Amino acid sequence: MQEDKKIKVGISIGDLNGIGCEVVLKTFEDNRMLDFCTPVIFASNKTISFQKKELNLNINYNGVPDADKAVDNKINVVNVWKEIPKTQFGIPTEESGKYALKSLQAATKALKEDKIDVLVTAPINKNNIQSDEFNFPGHTDYLAKELGGNSLMFMVTNTLKVGLLTDHIAVKDVAKAITLKLIKEKVATIERSLKADFAIQKPKIALLGINPHSGDNGVIGKEDDEVLKPTVTELKNQGKMVFGPYSADSFFGSDAYSNFDAILAAYHDQGLIPFKTLSFGKGVNYTAGLHKVRTSPDHGTAYEIAGKGKADHSSFKEAVFTALKIFKNRQEYAELTQNPLKKQRLKRKE
């Protein structure tokens, strides 16, 4: 990509009855954002016009028939549909799920065809989006199928990065799902991401235990002793900087997390509760391990405040900046790894 060419940020609009449109439009209401990227929103002129009016937002946008027609220094809206969907703020409906999927499908297709460079997704409702075309627990699994790669749900800020061994599965299924093979795959994915996406040359990774107190030597479950500990030992013997398993209850409160570049939690709430407690509003959900870059804010549809103009767009804005940073880091990493001589010259300069 040419140095002076702006990165095209594709945006799926999420559930129209939630706060998706609001956080997107508030982010780009600040014209300075157009200095960093070219936004391409997948919805329709009429939908954006309605949301803009209802939310009393002062933005101008440029309607385009296709993402490759997007114009720099403007907010671009790809007309994915011509009709006007019925909007009922705060109420999850079959129709709002239908149009969330239309937007996501169009944005994903554009990403696969390189008509946009990165994808930032506004929140969907995991229930009303379900259909014959979308039978997934969320964005992560859908995009893994569409884009290819070993996906990892990776919650990130500048100072805290938490990945998940298992994400949207029931707690009762967690222990059985965590195998030596799964741990190795997730560690490899998170290690590659830290190097290529976040420019960390020698990543240090912590693994959290499955059971309370990491099983207390088998007193509170054997999974930590029988699965996690042997896997950590094997990975260390391979030269990887992986440590643990650590007792999850004290790991974040004691500030131990600050000693690591990333943490792998055993299951969804074990990782996301401390992450959101420490960084809510600044955190970004990044799908690591894919061949393309996708980020999203760290919150959901927030129906309770939808249409009231109260939504905080900080996390969506962070998601945009994170996508831009990762895209640039990946380009640089690819260049360095493909040109060893240049890499050696850069090291000598350091």
Side-chain angles (χ1 to χ4, degrees), residues 297-311:
D298 66 357
H299 57 73
T301 53
Y303 290 123
E304 66 277 7
I305 59 169
K308 298 178 181 178
K310 296 180 179 179

Side-chain angles (χ1 to χ4, degrees), residues 49-193:
S49 177
F50 172 83
Q51 293 269 346
K52 169 188 168 182
K53 183 179 178 181
E54 289 293 308
L55 296 164
N56 194 29
L57 297 174
N58 182 29
I59 67 161
N60 295 311
Y61 57 88
N62 178 51
V64 291
D66 199 82
D68 58 6
K69 305 295 184 184
V71 178
D72 287 344
N73 301 313
K74 292 184 181 294
I75 300 166
N76 297 273
V77 177
V78 175
N79 282 291
V80 180
W81 54 82
K82 295 180 180 178
E83 63 275 20
I84 304 176
K86 184 178 180 181
T87 301
Q88 297 175 269
F89 287 122
I91 303 172
T93 64
E94 183 179 344
E95 188 171 19
S96 65
K98 172 186 170 182
Y99 285 94
L101 180 57
K102 282 179 178 286
S103 176
L104 178 60
Q105 287 175 325
T108 304
K109 184 174 184 289
L111 186 63
K112 291 165 74 172
E113 295 173 352
D114 294 322
K115 293 181 179 180
I116 55 175
D117 299 308
V118 299
L119 172 62
V120 184
T121 60
I124 59 172
N125 179 309
K126 295 177 179 63
N127 182 34
N128 69 0
I129 198 172
Q130 296 298 319
S131 67
D132 292 339
E133 298 173 274
F134 190 100
N135 186 20
F136 303 92
H139 278 115
T140 302
D141 300 276
Y142 170 79
L143 292 169
K145 177 181 178 294
E146 290 293 321
L147 301 176
N150 294 315
S151 65
L152 171 82
M153 189 172 178
F154 205 10
M155 307 298 293
V156 301
T157 68
N158 288 334
T159 56
L160 177 62
K161 296 174 177 59
V162 179
L164 302 179
L165 285 176
T166 63
D167 42 59
H168 294 121
I169 69 171
V171 174
K172 67 181 178 61
D173 299 325
V174 167
K176 288 182 181 178
I178 296 177
T179 61
L180 184 147
K181 180 175 180 289
L182 178 71
I183 298 168
K184 285 183 175 179
E185 286 177 354
K186 296 298 185 182
V187 167
T189 299
I190 205 170
E191 186 180 46
R192 281 195 301 269
S193 179

